[in-house]
Amino acid sequence: MALPTKGRVLIHTTAGEIDVELWSKETPKACRNFIALALEGYYDGVIFHRVVPGFLVQTGDRTGTGGGGESFYGEPFEDEIHPRLRFAHRGLVGMANSGKKNTNDSQFFITLGIVRTELHGKHTLFGRVVGDTLYNVLKIGEMELGENERPLYPPKIQSITVVDNPFPDIIPRITAAEKRAQQRAREAAQKKREEAERRRELCRLTCFGVRRNVKLLSFADEEEGEQNTEPTGTKKEGYSAALTVVIDDPSLSAFPALDVLRPPSPPTKVAAPAEPEVSSKPEAESTVTRKSKQKSDIDVIKIREQHQHEKASQKDAQRSEIEKMEAEIRRLTRRREGGGDSEEEAERRKKKKPKSYLEEEVAKYAKGRGLQKRAKDGRRKDEGDVLAALKSFRGMLQAAGPADSNLVEDAEGVQGEGKVPVVNGEDSGMEVDDDRGFMNHVLQFPKDDGEETRKAERDYEVIDPRQRSAKAREEERERKRAAKGKNGHGRPRR
């Protein structure tokens, strides 16, 4: 039976989570070292640098080579071998050392199933993997390997969460959050330094100039085109175009070195193209200003028109509301004084209220209900005609009255022969279509004297299975009793 654990951590890797329970009571130094390094974020970003298929996976070295690592105590600590903790199955977590006793630091391993005798008594066993997270460890053990038992694409430990800390007195030198913040700050500072260096290099090339050497790349046609299309006094011989713009603009730099670098140029040629530019700028500015002003005026006019329209609609709504209230006040006043409604209200009441779509559909359905036959003139019969016919037939039955004594069945259930009245002088033996004798017929049954009940009892037998089983048991007891008495009488006496 395994010893009870105390302490739990959750290792987040790129291959999935690994849930580990710790034997902190049996191996306090190893568990304290592991939890303290996890709280400091020491294992964040560390790879699984060694995988032995079917044996173990190893990690915990920040250098990723297997030769590094450091403990929380500042120096390697001793082994903690417990007699009841043995490497007997897969998923066991132990401390890795440098091949000698008492050389534990930060590296640890997880077994994959095969138990070897060289682990017993040589490595500290301080935890076990629990739950389905063991399959994530087995997944790491099945990765493709390169030289020296190193995975070609090694998985990483992203972070470690301490779920249950059995050592609340641990004070980490630096927390994982602080460590991540420092790393981000270092990366940001490095990025700023690189950006500043790039800007200094660009400024050096731009401010002090670089002579163009056309011999490096041969673009003969482009060089001839540039020489033909070059404006007078705008390009300096032996300098690049970007450098020429920088030198011609006195607002970019006030250093006297630029005056030394600037070659002499005839003032008349430079001033010639500058005049139309100066004269064209105010015109362009005035055109843009005029267009923007016209646009703003149009927007203001639209806003004013929209405001006036909204104001007028509000006034119309208020006026209509006031008229409705006044009409209601007048109507109530006339009703209190005893007068009738006005002519307009009477006409309004006479007008039919417009029907909704639902009411129209209901009316159509009501008109079409029960209309299956057509009359002779082609018009359909309404349900009202059928109801009227049924009502008249019921009145005829009520008016017929009680039946004659000779037309009622007698007590024996035999129907007597009634007299058939003579209709319109016809013979009584002839059938008459308008015979209404059935209307005053009364249905009667003979009185039950109990004969039918007795007959049913004779014809039908009710079988109760409980009575049959009880009867069978009684017969079996009688048979045994008889057999016992027979054997007792025939036994010889001693």
Side-chain angles (χ1 to χ4, degrees), residues 330-400:
R330 288 194 295 269
R331 186 176 64 80
L332 293 174
T333 304
R334 284 194 300 269
R335 182 176 296 178
R336 188 166 51 252
E337 293 176 355
D341 296 336
S342 62
E343 296 178 359
E344 295 180 357
E345 293 180 357
E347 291 178 359
R348 194 182 302 112
R349 287 185 178 181
K350 288 181 181 180
K351 291 181 180 180
K352 293 182 179 180
K353 183 180 180 181
K355 293 183 178 181
S356 63
Y357 179 76
L358 178 62
E359 293 177 350
E360 292 178 358
E361 293 298 323
V362 170
K364 289 180 183 179
Y365 177 74
K367 290 180 181 178
R369 289 178 61 185
L371 305 182
Q372 299 179 356
K373 297 183 179 180
R374 291 179 178 271
K376 294 181 179 179
D377 55 354
R379 294 180 300 177
R380 291 187 176 183
K381 294 182 179 180
D382 197 359
E383 280 186 348
D385 300 340
V386 179
L387 294 175
L390 292 174
K391 188 175 182 180
S392 63
F393 181 72
R394 185 173 60 183
M396 292 171 63
L397 290 176
Q398 292 176 355

Side-chain angles (χ1 to χ4, degrees), residues 154-408:
K156 285 184 178 181
I157 296 177
Q158 296 174 335
S159 63
I160 297 180
T161 303
V162 180
V163 181
D164 182 13
N165 187 1
F167 306 106
D169 59 332
I170 292 179
I171 301 176
R173 295 165 293 187
I174 182 173
T175 62
E178 294 174 353
K179 195 170 186 178
R180 286 193 290 269
Q182 289 182 359
Q183 182 66 20
R184 287 194 297 268
R186 283 195 296 268
E187 292 176 357
Q190 180 66 20
K191 190 174 181 181
K192 287 182 179 179
R193 285 195 297 270
E194 293 176 357
E195 184 68 18
E197 184 66 25
R198 188 181 65 81
R199 288 182 179 179
R200 282 197 297 271
E201 184 67 20
L202 181 61
C203 181
R204 187 178 63 82
L205 295 175
T206 305
C207 295
F208 296 100
V210 178
R211 296 184 65 86
R212 185 172 64 180
N213 190 358
V214 296
K215 295 180 180 179
L216 297 177
L217 295 175
S218 177
F219 299 104
D221 298 337
E222 183 180 353
E223 185 179 358
E224 292 176 0
E226 290 178 356
Q227 291 176 1
N228 295 333
T229 58
E230 180 182 356
T232 306
T234 58
K235 187 173 181 182
K236 278 49 177 196
E237 185 178 357
Y239 291 89
S240 63
L243 181 59
T244 305
V245 174
V246 172
I247 294 173
D248 289 341
D249 193 353
S251 61
L252 295 179
S253 178
F255 293 101
L258 296 179
D259 297 334
V260 177
L261 292 174
R262 184 184 295 114
S265 58
T268 55
K269 294 182 179 180
V270 176
E275 292 179 0
E277 293 180 1
V278 175
S279 61
S280 62
K281 286 183 180 179
E283 293 179 1
E285 292 178 357
S286 61
T287 305
V288 174
T289 306
R290 195 182 306 111
K291 289 183 179 179
S292 62
K293 190 173 182 181
Q294 290 177 359
K295 189 175 181 180
S296 62
D297 293 342
I298 293 171
D299 294 340
V300 170
I301 292 171
K302 288 182 179 180
I303 292 171
R304 288 178 179 175
E305 290 178 355
Q306 186 178 0
H307 180 67
Q308 291 178 359
H309 181 69
E310 292 177 356
K311 210 170 183 180
S313 61
Q314 289 178 0
K315 288 183 179 180
D316 294 340
Q318 291 177 359
R319 192 180 301 109
S320 61
E321 190 70 22
I322 291 170
E323 290 177 357
K324 287 181 182 179
M325 292 175 65
E326 291 178 352
E328 185 69 19
I329 291 170
R330 288 194 295 269
R331 186 176 64 80
L332 293 174
T333 304
R334 284 194 300 269
R335 182 176 296 178
R336 188 166 51 252
E337 293 176 355
D341 296 336
S342 62
E343 296 178 359
E344 295 180 357
E345 293 180 357
E347 291 178 359
R348 194 182 302 112
R349 287 185 178 181
K350 288 181 181 180
K351 291 181 180 180
K352 293 182 179 180
K353 183 180 180 181
K355 293 183 178 181
S356 63
Y357 179 76
L358 178 62
E359 293 177 350
E360 292 178 358
E361 293 298 323
V362 170
K364 289 180 183 179
Y365 177 74
K367 290 180 181 178
R369 289 178 61 185
L371 305 182
Q372 299 179 356
K373 297 183 179 180
R374 291 179 178 271
K376 294 181 179 179
D377 55 354
R379 294 180 300 177
R380 291 187 176 183
K381 294 182 179 180
D382 197 359
E383 280 186 348
D385 300 340
V386 179
L387 294 175
L390 292 174
K391 188 175 182 180
S392 63
F393 181 72
R394 185 173 60 183
M396 292 171 63
L397 290 176
Q398 292 176 355
D404 195 3
S405 60
N406 60 354
L407 295 178
V408 181

Side-chain angles (χ1 to χ4, degrees), residues 80-93:
E80 294 174 307
I81 308 301
H82 196 277
R84 294 188 62 184
L85 295 177
R86 299 178 63 83
F87 292 93
H89 54 81
R90 63 187 180 182
L92 298 175
V93 186

Side-chain angles (χ1 to χ4, degrees), residues 15 17-18 90 129-142:
E17 295 181 347
I18 302 174
R90 63 187 180 182
V129 180
V130 294
D132 296 337
T133 59
L134 177 62
Y135 296 105
N136 296 330
V137 180
L138 300 179
K139 189 194 305 181
I140 297 173
E142 296 173 355

Side-chain angles (χ1 to χ4, degrees), residues 7-18:
R8 182 183 167 208
V9 297
L10 195 62
I11 305 175
H12 306 276
T13 70
T14 54
E17 295 181 347
I18 302 174

